[in-house]
Amino acid sequence: AQTVTQSQPEMSVQEAETVTLSCTYDTSESDYYLFWYKQPPSRQMILVIRQEAYKQQNATENRFSVNFQKAAKSFSLKISDSQLGDAAMYFCAYSIGYALNFGKGTSLLVTP
Amino acid sequence: EPEVTQTPSHQVTQMGQEVILRCVPISNHLYFYWYRQILGQKVEFLVSFYNNEISEKSEIFDDQFSVERPDGSNFTLKIRSTKLEDSAMYFCASRDGTGLYEQYFGPGTRLTVT
């Protein structure tokens, strides 16, 4: 069974600073997809960034980037220049094409 | 920008009653999903649907649950006889047929079973 582990239940960052959220996963598959979703207090699930396992290059989307270490089965999310609107739950997710398998989430607090 | 919509936003029902949660996926998407999130917990997969049939389901998706795509736009989740533990946020998601595998989520339906 594939499992996704987010070891940081809560993280805090000051506005304009950088924060890294960690995620590890366990799989025997070689082709898969990794995602970070953001869930603000409205509880809407918003896709932040995705990474295909066959790509060595780390994905970036504006202030969001990932550090994908396939051998270590690690997929961390870096948020640069943190903004108050980044405060939310962040879920790491894994998929081989059908279901998304989510971690338990990291609650990110952004302080002024 | 196209988006997934869900109705109602909040449903309150009594234990033992049937509920139908409705979703309108993004129009050119081919794969449809239901997930649930019990308050304070992680998002859990329920079922995926493609080409008018279930393609994968989790252990949670037992005989009390069913899904249907009654027409070209709606995708529904039915819970036949609700239990207190069915209280959760239910999310619908959809994705297109390309290899990107990105799933786009609706805003969710909060189901409260009393």
Side-chain angles (χ1 to χ4, degrees), chain A residues 7-93:
Chain A
S7 59
Q8 306 149 317
E10 290 181 355
M11 290 285 284
S12 181
V13 63
Q14 274 197 317
E15 214 175 349
E17 297 296 308
T18 296
V19 65
T20 299
L21 310 183
S22 66
C23 173
T24 58
Y25 57 93
D26 184 23
T27 183
S28 57
E29 302 288 337
S30 57
D31 285 335
Y32 50 88
Y33 305 84
L34 298 163
F35 306 87
W36 280 97
Y37 281 85
K38 170 184 177 181
Q39 187 179 45
S42 67
R43 298 188 73 183
Q44 170 90 50
M45 295 290 286
I46 302 165
L47 178 65
V48 174
I49 199 165
R50 78 166 193 279
Q51 174 81 44
E52 294 91 336
Y54 62 85
K55 287 190 176 178
Q56 291 186 330
Q57 186 172 8
N58 289 324
T60 55
E61 283 288 340
N62 301 313
R63 297 183 295 108
F64 298 88
S65 61
V66 299
N67 183 4
F68 173 49
Q69 302 286 331
K70 191 172 183 179
K73 296 180 182 174
S74 169
F75 181 60
S76 60
L77 175 69
K78 185 169 84 171
I79 306 173
S80 304
D81 186 26
S82 297
Q83 300 174 0
L84 294 176
D86 294 333
M89 282 291 287
Y90 286 82
F91 291 97
C92 177

Side-chain angles (χ1 to χ4, degrees), chain A residues 33 37 39 50 97-98 100, chain B residues 35 37 56 101-103:
Chain A
Y33 305 84
Y37 281 85
Q39 187 179 45
R50 78 166 193 279
Y98 287 113
L100 284 170
Chain B
Y35 293 84
Q37 185 184 32
E56 188 181 9
Y101 296 98
E102 295 174 0
Q103 293 184 23

